[in-house]
Amino acid sequence: MNRIRVVVADQAEAIFYDITSLKGRPVEVSRLADPDARQYPPGLQLQARNFARTIAANLDADRRSRQFQQLIVVASAPFRSLMRAEFSDATKAAVVYEVPKDLVHSHVEVLSDYLPTSAQELKSA
């Protein structure tokens, strides 16, 4: 099985996990945070877009250094769309599964409940 990176993100925080099998427990590998993001008024997308760009750059660098081959994206619909718009074509192609939930502040066991359990659930990367 290919190495899988899971990014769990919202407009202020991103947690990156690696899983070695779909039945394995996600292992946190890094975090990013934009502490000022929650202070911005609703509707101001520039800060969120900049953070999405930072997440995308991080994922792109990790993909290029072969830290993962497949990517699972976990984020609510508005922010997931911002991230997807910032992904390079190669990183977009690595996305094999998406979870439309904001699970940044959830425990890792909750995240595991939303991840695919079989390769058939993944789209080809």
Side-chain angles (χ1 to χ4, degrees), residues 86-98:
E86 298 298 333
F87 287 168
S88 68
D89 289 342
T91 298
K92 281 180 191 172
V95 175
V96 294
Y97 196 79
E98 292 186 352

Side-chain angles (χ1 to χ4, degrees), residues 17-102:
Y17 297 94
D18 281 348
I19 53 176
T20 54
S21 77
L22 291 176
K23 296 188 189 316
R25 186 174 195 262
V27 175
E28 184 177 328
V29 292
S30 65
R31 285 179 180 252
L32 290 174
D34 182 356
D36 296 329
R38 299 217 190 271
Q39 298 174 12
Y40 289 88
L44 185 59
Q45 293 293 316
L46 181 60
Q47 189 70 18
R49 184 170 287 116
N50 287 341
F51 190 55
R53 188 173 296 129
T54 300
I55 293 168
N58 226 290
L59 288 168
D60 203 43
D62 289 351
R63 183 194 47 74
R64 282 193 318 267
S65 66
R66 301 185 193 282
Q67 292 183 35
F68 70 91
Q69 289 80 37
Q70 295 178 316
L71 177 62
I72 295 174
V73 179
V74 181
S76 65
F79 192 70
R80 196 173 72 249
S81 295
L82 285 176
M83 282 194 305
R84 204 181 300 120
E86 298 298 333
F87 287 168
S88 68
D89 289 342
T91 298
K92 281 180 191 172
V95 175
V96 294
Y97 196 79
E98 292 186 352
V99 178
K101 295 273 186 191
D102 181 354

